Amino acid sequence: MKQLTLLLFCLCTFVVQAKIYNVQEYGAKADGTTIDTPAINRAIEEAASQGGGTIYFPAGEYACYSIRLASHIHLYIEQGAKIIAAFPSATEGYDEAEPNEHNKFQDFGHSHWKNSLIWGIGLEDITISGPRIDLRKRVDA
């Protein structure tokens, strides 16, 4: 009986393990100039549609606009990986700020979330981790 219980426990542990979604497999270039947000958001959407998982950032520089989190997502930023807040261009940039009734009482940054580098509203079970979290603002000459 103990052996059967141990076997069932091991099988359950195997099944519960979350899938890993490598952002480079979704098209992220990690070259510091290509905007990698669409690839990262595709990986998050795929993981969310499967119930969650780990979004894996291998070493490289990921120039991004708004990364849209979802529930049950773990962003794992490997050693040597950097998420860089890219400056908006004339044709693309961060998500549009949502309407907020408190605009007249607070500054813009306290009243809006959707135009941020990484955002999510009403979510649960979110983790952002790595050996070193390095979120840098890109400097253009």
Side-chain angles (χ1 to χ4, degrees), residues 58-77:
E61 295 187 349
Y62 299 86
C64 294
Y65 296 130
S66 296
I67 296 173
R68 300 177 198 115
L69 292 175
S71 291
H72 313 294
I73 294 297
H74 173 193
L75 298 184
Y76 181 74
I77 305 166

Side-chain angles (χ1 to χ4, degrees), residues 116-128:
S116 300
L117 177 60
I118 301 173
W119 71 270
I121 298 172
L123 305 177
E124 62 184 18
D125 188 24
I126 305 295
T127 303
I128 301 175

Side-chain angles (χ1 to χ4, degrees), residues 5-136:
T5 304
L6 181 59
L7 177 64
L8 289 174
F9 177 75
C10 289
L11 287 174
C12 288
T13 303
F14 178 73
V15 171
V16 172
Q17 189 175 28
K19 185 174 176 185
I20 296 173
Y21 300 83
N22 183 330
V23 296
Q24 291 183 359
E25 292 175 5
Y26 289 82
K29 301 293 183 209
D31 60 13
T33 54
T34 302
I35 300 301
D36 289 321
T37 311
I40 294 165
N41 285 334
R42 279 193 299 274
I44 292 170
E45 289 166 9
E46 176 69 21
S49 75
Q50 301 299 314
T54 298
I55 309 303
Y56 173 62
F57 291 78
E61 295 187 349
Y62 299 86
C64 294
Y65 296 130
S66 296
I67 296 173
R68 300 177 198 115
L69 292 175
S71 291
H72 313 294
I73 294 297
H74 173 193
L75 298 184
Y76 181 74
I77 305 166
E78 181 180 76
Q79 183 70 39
K82 296 178 181 84
I83 296 175
I84 302 169
F87 287 111
S89 72
T91 57
E92 60 182 351
Y94 296 86
D95 291 347
E96 188 174 324
E98 70 278 11
N100 189 313
E101 63 190 73
H102 304 292
N103 283 347
K104 59 186 172 184
F105 305 112
Q106 296 176 324
D107 67 44
F108 189 84
H110 287 98
S111 299
H112 301 280
W113 309 106
K114 291 185 178 182
N115 66 328
S116 300
L117 177 60
I118 301 173
W119 71 270
I121 298 172
L123 305 177
E124 62 184 18
D125 188 24
I126 305 295
T127 303
I128 301 175
S129 68
R132 177 177 161 209
I133 307 298
D134 194 349
L135 304 174
R136 295 189 180 176

